Amino acid sequence: MTDLPAGVSFVIPVYNKAEWLPGVIAALKSQRGDFAREYIFVDDGSTDGSLEIVRRETAGWPNVTILSQANAGSAAASNAGIMRARYAFTKFCDADDMLLPDATERLLAAIRAHPGVCLAWGGRVWYASAAEAAAYIEPPLNPATVLHRAPLKPAMQNSLFNPAQFMARTADLKACGGCDERIVFSQEYSLTLRMALRGDFVQIAAPVALVLRDAPGRLSGNTGRQLQRVTLALAWFLRDHPELAEDDVRFACRRAAGRAWKWRRRQYRAGFLSPWFGRYLRARLPGLPLPADPAGFIDVCAAAFAQEGLALPGAAAAKRQQSAG
């Protein structure tokens, strides 16, 4: 891939965020640092005037691209931005989260300090209102960083960050295929898995974003649906990468089965005779061979969350388990 020019492409997917967009855009405009920059807003079929607000608030800005598409979900919107990015680094931001003034410069410094790193992320601070966000004072720089080599297992373990918290090398984003659009939402989890195969990650101790707590309509607020999505993303990831080491595949099965069992136990009081506990043991006990179809095993784990509206790749097998436990 041709080398991209130095600079940062800001990618901001937008869907019905009219209330928060003026503050988000003001925070983007206030990013400090001596680097070339462009702004790519992708309106994903908003119906609340968000597109008009983006146009109004960025009028007169240089290097602004505003894309508008029929509603296709945050993964597709993020990918549209990735494909249009023309600078060497891409900084994501949800349309209701605000970057702290030094966020981009701090992430750039961290990723540039480690040539083998393809992604950097920082901390977050929750906020509940525009007034609370405006009153927040960015702390002094904490220069500490943590280098995460072989980041695949941590990426499988948990969602490490939300979009406003990370920056990545654009060439790696494009090469890995971006977000998995088969999982319409939870875009950062599937993208993190893919990027974990591209290089190391680095984490900075400083916060970089104000993240809205309890955003109205935020899909990640439904814990069951969110867990189902990340579990399905893990299944698709295994299908896409049959070359993964056996230890990584085993870890993925163990993680998915653990999520499923804990959810059924907490939400439905599933007992130790539950098939969900059986799957958990199947994945945990040492010495047992891997499931013949690890991705299918994880598909069935996704059914533990008993949510409607998401197609399961292993639907037939999953349906048999939905009433269990």
Side-chain angles (χ1 to χ4, degrees):
M1 181 177 292
T2 303
D3 289 342
L4 297 171
V8 177
S9 298
F10 292 91
V11 172
I12 309 97
V14 178
Y15 179 69
N16 288 350
K17 300 295 184 180
E19 180 179 359
W20 308 103
L21 273 168
V24 170
I25 293 171
L28 286 166
K29 188 176 182 179
S30 299
Q31 288 299 287
R32 293 191 279 254
D34 182 18
F35 52 86
R37 60 193 78 188
E38 66 171 344
Y39 307 90
I40 304 168
F41 293 86
V42 184
D43 184 77
D44 189 40
S46 294
T47 58
D48 69 344
S50 289
L51 180 58
E52 290 72 23
I53 292 172
V54 171
R55 289 171 174 160
R56 182 188 73 222
E57 297 292 325
T58 62
W61 287 23
N63 296 328
V64 173
T65 299
I66 301 174
L67 307 177
S68 182
Q69 63 184 35
N71 182 248
S74 56
S78 297
N79 283 348
I82 290 170
M83 295 309 297
R84 290 295 291 265
R86 62 187 181 92
Y87 284 125
F89 301 96
T90 295
K91 179 73 192 80
F92 294 93
C93 188
D94 277 346
D96 53 13
D97 296 333
M98 300 183 195
L99 299 182
L100 294 173
D102 290 319
T104 305
E105 193 169 38
R106 290 176 177 183
L107 290 169
L108 265 177
I111 202 169
R112 284 172 168 166
H114 302 280
V117 162
C118 67
L119 183 150
W121 89 91
R124 65 186 174 191
V125 176
W126 296 105
Y127 79 99
S129 68
E132 185 179 342
Y136 181 78
I137 299 175
E138 190 172 19
L141 174 63
N142 183 338
T145 61
V146 178
L147 182 62
H148 295 267
R149 297 193 182 278
L152 182 56
K153 285 189 176 69
M156 290 179 180
Q157 180 75 20
N158 291 301
S159 292
L160 299 174
F161 39 73
N162 90 334
Q165 293 175 252
F166 82 98
M167 168 187 288
R169 295 186 188 273
T170 304
D172 288 308
L173 291 170
K174 293 177 185 285
C176 80
C179 308
D180 188 346
E181 294 186 27
R182 295 166 298 193
I183 308 299
V184 179
F185 305 105
S186 304
Q187 73 271 30
E188 67 273 14
Y189 185 79
S190 66
L191 182 58
T192 306
L193 293 175
R194 291 176 172 187
M195 288 293 286
L197 299 181
R198 301 290 307 174
D200 299 333
F201 294 175
V202 64
Q203 179 182 5
I204 69 174
V208 296
L210 299 176
V211 176
L212 182 61
R213 187 190 298 275
D214 301 326
R218 179 173 279 182
L219 294 166
S220 59
N222 184 323
T223 304
R225 287 184 69 88
Q226 183 72 356
L227 287 170
Q228 188 181 61
R229 289 187 185 101
V230 299
T231 304
L232 290 173
L234 192 54
W236 280 119
F237 180 72
L238 261 59
R239 284 189 176 87
D240 292 342
H241 295 282
E243 78 283 3
L244 289 177
E246 179 178 323
D247 185 59
D248 290 328
V249 175
R250 189 177 301 279
F251 185 88
C253 292
R254 197 161 61 235
R255 184 67 183 116
R259 283 188 186 122
W261 158 240
K262 290 174 184 176
W263 178 260
R264 299 300 294 196
R265 183 183 62 187
R266 292 170 183 168
Q267 299 296 319
Y268 302 101
R269 298 183 180 179
F272 291 107
L273 297 180
S274 160
W276 303 108
F277 184 67
R279 299 189 74 76
Y280 175 68
L281 285 181
R282 170 71 177 81
R284 293 288 301 183
L285 289 177
L288 290 180
L290 282 171
D293 177 12
F297 178 90
I298 294 175
D299 284 338
V300 177
C301 293
F305 306 103
Q307 301 292 318
E308 299 297 329
L310 286 176
L312 296 176
K319 187 175 181 181
R320 291 196 295 269
Q321 297 287 348
Q322 284 182 349
S323 62

